[in-house]
Amino acid sequence: MLALAAMLAGCGGDGGSSASTANGSSSGGGTASTPAPTASGCSLRERQDWAAAQLREWYLFPETLPASLSPAAYSTVDDYIDALTKTARDQSKDRYFTHLASIKEENAYYDSGESAGFGFRISIGSGNSALTVTESFEGAPALAAGIDRGAQIVGIGTTSSDVRSIAAITAADPTYGIGNALGPDTTGTTRVFRLQTANGGTRDVSVAKAVYTLTPISSRYGVQIINDGDQKVGYINLRTFITTADAQLRSAFDGFRQQGITRVIIDLRYNGGGLVDTAELAGDLLGGNRQASDVFSYTTFRPEKSANNETRYFRPQSQSIAPTRIAFIGTRGTASASELLINAMSPYLNGAMALVGTNTYGKPVGQIALDRAQCDDRLRVIAFATQNSARQGGYYTGLASTLGTTCQASDDLSRPMGDPAEASTRAALDFLAGRSCTAITARGGDATAFAADRELVRAARPSAAQREVPGLF
């Protein structure tokens, strides 16, 4: 069987995997065969031809690819890929999940969390008058400048003298105006943020972008033991599924194990996905009472590639706990590897597990990585679907309609995540304590929409970090 490292992702409609390669070409599903290009150069046409050949070789939905489509009309490889995958996108099967990325950039993010930017996650409300910071990351410029969760940004400029209001920026470009106003993700790019103050005034803060390492689990609030009445509840907020999360997860669960904790909250409210391996480890750490014969997930490729199908079983670890109740906090920014984990645990807990918050994004498929190293091109191709042990998958409209128990809750930006008084955390604690709740309305939608009236801001062409950490700049 071909060794393929894969991952699930999806917030902002994108995702990826670690560096595994496959080459060659074949046709399938009624599409015309496209020979693999023999040239090894990096001209636009050579790169486009290579991408098309890989899609015809590996794409999970080959019947949706056009029988022939000349790349001549497309000025970038991404534009050509988007045209090739349009039918699947119109069917909500591939919402820009298949894309081209930089090998170097992706490796830096997935291996260590390295990114360049201000280091905050921002959202915008329906009125378009202000941005709200949903999260700031330790060691990054925004938090160092005192900008944290709940901060209201009412204007952006390069200096205090040219600050434009958020309303003016979004009026000029409703989709990508904010991302463009924030400038390129290069070290030294500086912007002035006009912040709303508690007394109704404003203050200006200048922040320069820098390279920083995104920590998957916050050192401030990412792991907690919450005393709720006479119950101890373990809380983990996982921002993204990358390699450096593994040691943090092991440490957190080992602490829960030592204190005998069996009720846990896994907060994935903005987690757009990441490495499948890390999602599987999280399942193992939640699977202290699982047997080696218990299925975590099934991975299925298209029929011609069925030799790559896999059944992944639970592998309990020395740090694993045996949870009696689990509350997963999610939003429509919760996607892919996050949904894989939630879906995998569902058959084993039934009514003792709930999705709390809002519906998730809906990405039951994943990408493989196909590399053209000489061009620094990594093609992320949707190549497989996943199911849980009950063969449940296909949740393209989100998990709310497939899970037995859900509890609707808002994302309270006025309080830290993990605060027992924060709305989603409070609802999760109520579920774990056996108190009643209102079910989530099963509405899918844009992965950047994390609440009914708020959306995480998107970049026009997201970086590897922005694909997995929606709203990141």
Side-chain angles (χ1 to χ4, degrees):
M1 182 172 69
L2 179 66
L4 292 170
M7 63 183 293
L8 302 177
C11 249
D14 300 282
S17 121
S18 60
S20 166
T21 61
N23 294 290
S25 176
S26 67
S27 63
T31 61
S33 178
T34 302
T38 56
S40 59
C42 293
S43 70
L44 173 61
R45 181 56 184 261
E46 287 170 318
R47 294 168 68 215
Q48 289 173 324
D49 286 345
W50 174 78
Q54 306 316 306
L55 279 169
R56 299 201 186 280
E57 171 90 12
W58 289 99
Y59 199 47
L60 183 60
F61 314 111
E63 71 283 354
T64 67
L65 296 173
S68 62
L69 181 67
S70 171
Y74 303 95
S75 60
T76 69
V77 183
D78 269 314
D79 286 345
Y80 185 47
I81 292 169
D82 290 348
L84 289 168
T85 58
K86 182 180 184 302
T87 298
R89 186 166 64 254
D90 290 344
Q91 297 172 1
S92 295
K93 294 177 178 178
D94 186 350
R95 287 165 277 175
Y96 298 101
F97 304 146
T98 298
H99 65 275
L100 195 70
S102 158
I103 298 171
K104 180 180 178 181
E105 178 189 280
E106 283 212 342
N107 287 349
Y109 174 69
Y110 292 118
D111 292 345
S112 68
E114 182 180 298
S115 182
F118 298 117
F120 57 21
R121 197 192 304 256
I122 51 176
S123 63
I124 190 164
S126 56
N128 290 342
S129 61
L131 303 175
T132 303
V133 175
T134 63
E135 190 172 17
S136 286
F137 304 116
E138 298 81 13
L143 187 59
I147 301 175
D148 204 352
R149 179 175 169 87
Q152 298 283 308
I153 300 173
V154 296
I156 303 171
T158 58
T159 66
S160 289
S161 62
D162 67 5
V163 170
R164 299 169 63 205
S165 71
I166 300 303
I169 293 171
T170 55
D173 184 350
T175 305
Y176 299 120
I178 297 300
N180 291 334
L182 292 171
D185 286 335
T186 53
T187 299
T189 298
T190 302
R191 291 294 182 268
V192 171
F193 297 105
R194 185 154 291 164
L195 304 177
Q196 190 80 48
T197 59
N199 62 6
T202 62
R203 65 185 179 95
D204 288 355
V205 178
S206 179
V207 186
K209 293 186 178 182
V211 175
Y212 64 96
T213 298
L214 193 154
T215 307
I217 297 178
S218 171
S219 58
R220 295 181 291 157
Y221 52 79
V223 179
Q224 301 179 52
I225 294 177
I226 301 172
N227 291 309
D228 186 47
D230 61 351
Q231 294 289 328
K232 285 187 175 182
V233 174
Y235 172 90
I236 294 178
N237 182 298
L238 182 61
R239 294 163 165 166
T240 185
F241 291 83
I242 59 177
T243 301
T244 50
D246 294 3
Q248 289 188 296
L249 285 169
R250 289 183 184 277
S251 176
F253 277 95
D254 196 41
F256 295 164
R257 180 190 60 81
Q258 292 178 32
Q259 296 207 40
I261 288 174
T262 62
R263 299 187 180 196
V264 291
I265 299 170
I266 310 297
D267 194 340
L268 304 171
R269 72 182 75 190
Y270 312 129
N271 191 320
L275 296 170
V276 168
D277 285 351
T278 299
E280 291 170 344
L281 173 62
D284 293 339
L285 293 168
L286 287 167
N289 52 349
R290 302 270 61 83
Q291 304 300 313
S293 59
D294 287 339
V295 171
F296 177 82
S297 65
Y298 296 103
T299 299
T300 307
F301 287 72
R302 61 196 250 189
E304 310 93 287
K305 297 296 184 181
S306 61
N308 296 289
N309 292 354
E310 291 185 352
T311 301
R312 208 286 185 172
Y313 298 93
F314 280 89
R315 302 169 188 167
Q317 306 291 300
S318 60
Q319 305 92 356
S320 296
I321 66 170
T324 56
R325 292 178 76 83
I326 303 176
F328 286 100
I329 297 178
T331 66
R332 281 176 286 158
T334 302
S336 201
S338 294
E339 292 173 303
L340 169 66
L341 174 61
I342 298 169
N343 193 49
M345 299 307 300
S346 176
Y348 298 102
L349 286 123
N350 298 311
M353 188 193 95
L355 172 66
V356 176
T358 65
N359 193 13
T360 63
Y361 179 50
K363 185 173 181 284
V365 293
Q367 297 99 309
I368 59 171
L370 304 169
D371 286 356
R372 189 175 174 87
Q374 67 268 33
C375 308
D376 190 38
D377 282 345
R378 173 167 293 161
L379 182 64
R380 296 298 188 178
V381 179
I382 288 294
F384 62 88
T386 63
Q387 297 175 318
N388 62 21
S389 63
R391 289 290 186 180
Q392 295 166 325
Y395 41 83
Y396 289 102
T397 59
L399 286 169
S401 61
T402 70
L403 299 175
T405 305
T406 64
C407 294
Q408 185 173 308
S410 62
D411 183 19
D412 181 2
L413 296 176
S414 70
R415 299 178 185 274
M417 289 177 282
D419 183 329
E422 188 275 321
S424 289
T425 308
R426 182 69 260 163
L429 291 168
D430 286 345
F431 165 75
L432 295 178
R435 293 184 278 272
S436 62
C437 64
T438 301
I440 294 171
T441 300
R443 184 179 70 172
D446 190 338
T448 59
F450 70 95
D453 61 344
R454 302 203 65 80
E455 290 188 358
L456 296 164
V457 177
R458 72 178 75 190
R461 284 292 180 188
S463 66
Q466 288 171 324
R467 293 179 191 278
E468 310 297 2
V469 185
L472 175 67
F473 285 92

